[in-house]
Amino acid sequence: MLASTSNADRHAIRASLLHCLRDPGLAGDASCVEFLPDALVLCRGGRIEHVGPTAALLPTLADDVRIDDQRGKLLVPGFIDTHVHYPQVDVIASYGTQLLDWLNRYTFPAELAFADAAHAAATADFFLDRLLENGTTTAAVFCTVHPQSVDAFFTASEARGLAMIAGKCLMDRHAPAGLTDSADTGYRDSKTLIERWHGHARSHYAITPRFAPTSTQAQMAAMQRLAEEHPDVYIQSHVAENRAEIAWVRELFPGHRSYFDVYDHYGLLRERAIYAHCIHLDDADRARMTAAGATPSFCPTSNLFIGSGLYDLPQALAAGNRVSLGSDVGGGTSYSLLRTLGEAYKVQQLLGHSLSPAYALYLATLGGARALSLEHALGSITPGKAADFALLDPCATPLLARRTQMRDDPLDTFFALMTLGDDRAVAATYANGRCVHRRSAQPTP
Ligand code: GUN
Ligand code: ZN
């Protein structure tokens, strides 16, 4: 009997439930996925307390437990975006350049505006509302070089009850004056922010070198010291995204076996280190990634939009890499991890591989949690984990409704959602047990 003297902080969601219990592998072992057609998820104090078939659980619930009845919709774990830039809201969909030009022409000018704390606060609110309307409840987020951009971000994410990873970008060269720090101020500002935010509420700090070309050897060494002093903080950066970038790193850091080796040399590969793109790594880099416990973030919409290349998922998985999924907005073109998965599928098709719907679901949920070493708290709808969910509507559009009624198969429904869906398919988002987004009914034409 689950009744207690006070049920004020208890509530339940009734919906179909779909989540991964284990890694299903690229081909998608369906036994690693659990589907309950009519489930009750009982939440208390921000966590999942109990999960089961409604027929079994409903009779045990006290009368005063509120039930959010969402029958017909699909409850999945909140999506986890392991690489995104909140200051690039206004950079999305910028025409005509590849990485290095794109940074100079669009990205750096936009990031300069974050010296203004009010602009940072307003943009953090706007950005987080976009994540939530897309069902994303956790992300690894780049801020700008300005410490106030980090304060604005975590203030906004904590107000929404979110588990977020973020950090101040470090750049002491090859960027405009208003966007650079130094080896010393980068170290000190990052340390202050770690002390302020890491482990506060659901916030985690990430040491955030933008990428090797914008840090001198002295700054890389300062980050190594910072990382050694804070072994449990995250590290996030970019690597091996674009051919011109790789050639530049070879000039700037002569004598290294590879671009990836530069980060290794400065002690920046370890558990909780997330590297975006990783398109052009070689076998030795991938093996080192696994041995060090660092992880790649696959960013398909960005890789396509900036023309960076096709990420070979099976190659990474064969090397034992714990791959996760990144939207990489503003290089990426959508905050929706459903759309991102749709593009991930097409990229793998071009390489002659099929990304199964089970593995796609894993990439956006439990795989993301594992890559971030947050599997104990996130990634599946399991008692004890955080009550962070996305509620998907298989009938969100006339086309989706028609397509998903074709087959009575939850993974096929998920595949249709990731191919045809976007924010319209996210009926609601829950974080820390609270509904933080509900899609309003659209006016009928
Ligand atoms: N490499 C260095 N900075 C960036 C960035 O902001 N976006 C992407 N996609 N790649 C980068
Ligand atoms: Zn990026």
Side-chain angles (χ1 to χ4, degrees):
M1 183 71 178
L2 296 169
S4 77
T5 48
S6 169
N7 285 308
D9 63 343
R10 273 207 176 104
H11 68 100
I13 304 168
R14 181 174 185 178
S16 302
L17 182 154
L18 183 71
H19 65 155
C20 294
L21 301 168
R22 294 178 295 283
D23 179 350
L26 192 65
D29 175 352
S31 73
C32 299
V33 176
E34 182 178 45
F35 175 64
L36 299 177
D38 184 0
L40 267 189
V41 178
L42 186 64
C43 306
R44 185 181 203 182
R47 293 201 183 196
I48 301 164
E49 190 175 47
H50 216 82
V51 181
T54 300
L57 218 52
L58 193 58
T60 72
L61 281 194
D63 291 344
D64 58 345
V65 174
R66 276 177 300 119
I67 298 179
D68 183 1
D69 191 340
Q70 298 292 343
R71 270 175 279 182
K73 304 206 172 64
L74 199 57
L75 194 72
V76 299
F79 295 135
I80 298 177
D81 182 344
T82 61
H83 183 75
V84 62
H85 301 253
Y86 101 81
Q88 294 181 14
V89 161
D90 300 311
V91 174
I92 195 167
S94 292
Y95 170 77
T97 53
Q98 296 221 344
L99 179 63
L100 301 176
D101 281 346
W102 175 85
L103 285 172
N104 285 317
R105 193 180 313 172
Y106 299 115
T107 306
F108 290 158
E111 294 193 5
L112 280 167
F114 287 72
D116 175 3
H119 176 74
T123 309
D125 281 334
F126 181 88
F127 167 83
L128 286 166
D129 289 346
R130 302 290 75 70
L131 293 197
L132 295 179
E133 77 188 355
N134 282 289
T136 298
T137 49
T138 289
V141 180
F142 275 55
C143 303
T144 63
V145 72
H146 314 97
Q148 57 270 39
S149 73
V150 179
D151 292 334
F153 180 76
F154 280 132
T155 300
S157 66
E158 290 192 359
R160 289 163 175 77
L162 304 175
M164 285 284 160
I165 298 167
K168 177 200 118 64
C169 204
L170 291 118
M171 293 197 276
D172 68 344
R173 63 171 164 178
H174 300 137
L179 278 188
T180 48
D181 50 13
S182 68
D184 186 42
T185 61
Y187 169 88
R188 281 192 284 119
D189 287 347
S190 300
K191 200 165 183 71
T192 303
L193 290 165
I194 290 170
E195 281 155 12
R196 187 174 302 152
W197 293 110
H198 188 61
H200 188 267
R202 303 183 73 195
S203 302
H204 306 269
Y205 195 81
I207 300 170
T208 306
R210 175 169 222 117
F211 65 158
T214 44
S215 290
T216 60
Q217 278 79 353
Q219 185 166 72
M220 296 294 277
M223 283 186 273
Q224 175 167 24
R225 186 151 62 92
L226 192 60
E228 283 166 5
E229 289 165 359
H230 298 279
D232 64 333
V233 304
Y234 287 82
I235 296 169
Q236 57 182 352
S237 194
H238 300 89
V239 72
E241 177 177 4
N242 166 284
R243 301 265 183 214
E245 168 208 24
I246 295 168
W248 197 23
V249 171
R250 207 174 295 126
E251 280 170 31
L252 293 170
F253 293 89
H256 289 277
R257 198 197 65 76
S258 68
Y259 182 177
F260 197 55
D261 184 57
V262 174
Y263 296 115
D264 200 4
H265 177 80
Y266 289 102
L268 298 174
L269 303 185
R270 65 179 190 195
E271 284 287 323
R272 297 186 192 79
I274 311 148
Y275 283 87
H277 308 292
C278 298
I279 301 166
H280 308 289
L281 297 186
D282 63 15
D283 286 344
D285 291 331
R286 281 187 287 272
R288 182 68 194 121
M289 175 84 84
T290 297
T295 64
S297 178
F298 173 25
C299 304
T301 73
S302 169
N303 297 345
L304 292 168
F305 184 75
I306 312 188
S308 303
L310 306 177
Y311 183 71
D312 193 320
L313 197 46
Q315 210 171 39
L317 298 180
N321 293 175
R322 277 177 290 149
V323 181
S324 60
L325 193 68
S327 67
D328 194 25
V329 171
T333 51
S334 176
Y335 288 109
S336 167
L337 288 193
L338 290 173
R339 286 198 68 167
T340 307
L341 285 172
E343 298 308 287
Y345 177 82
K346 294 174 198 168
V347 167
Q348 298 313 308
Q349 286 288 87
L350 284 170
L351 293 169
H353 319 302
S354 292
L355 167 58
S356 64
Y359 197 72
L361 175 66
Y362 176 78
L363 270 180
T365 57
L366 188 60
R370 282 189 63 212
L372 300 176
S373 303
L374 289 173
E375 190 183 355
H376 59 282
L378 304 177
S380 62
I381 304 179
T382 307
K385 291 197 183 188
D388 293 356
F389 316 114
L391 185 71
L392 305 180
D393 181 359
C395 298
T397 67
L399 181 60
L400 265 170
R402 186 169 174 140
R403 168 62 181 80
T404 57
Q405 277 158 22
M406 288 281 299
R407 293 182 205 119
D408 188 16
D409 170 353
L411 284 171
D412 182 67
T413 297
F414 187 75
F415 188 69
L417 283 162
M418 72 184 232
T419 306
L420 302 172
D422 50 31
D423 54 303
R424 293 168 298 170
V426 178
T429 304
Y430 304 81
N432 214 24
R434 282 194 322 118
C435 180
V436 286
H437 166 72
R438 200 174 289 281
R439 190 169 169 76
S440 50
Q442 296 303 296
T444 40

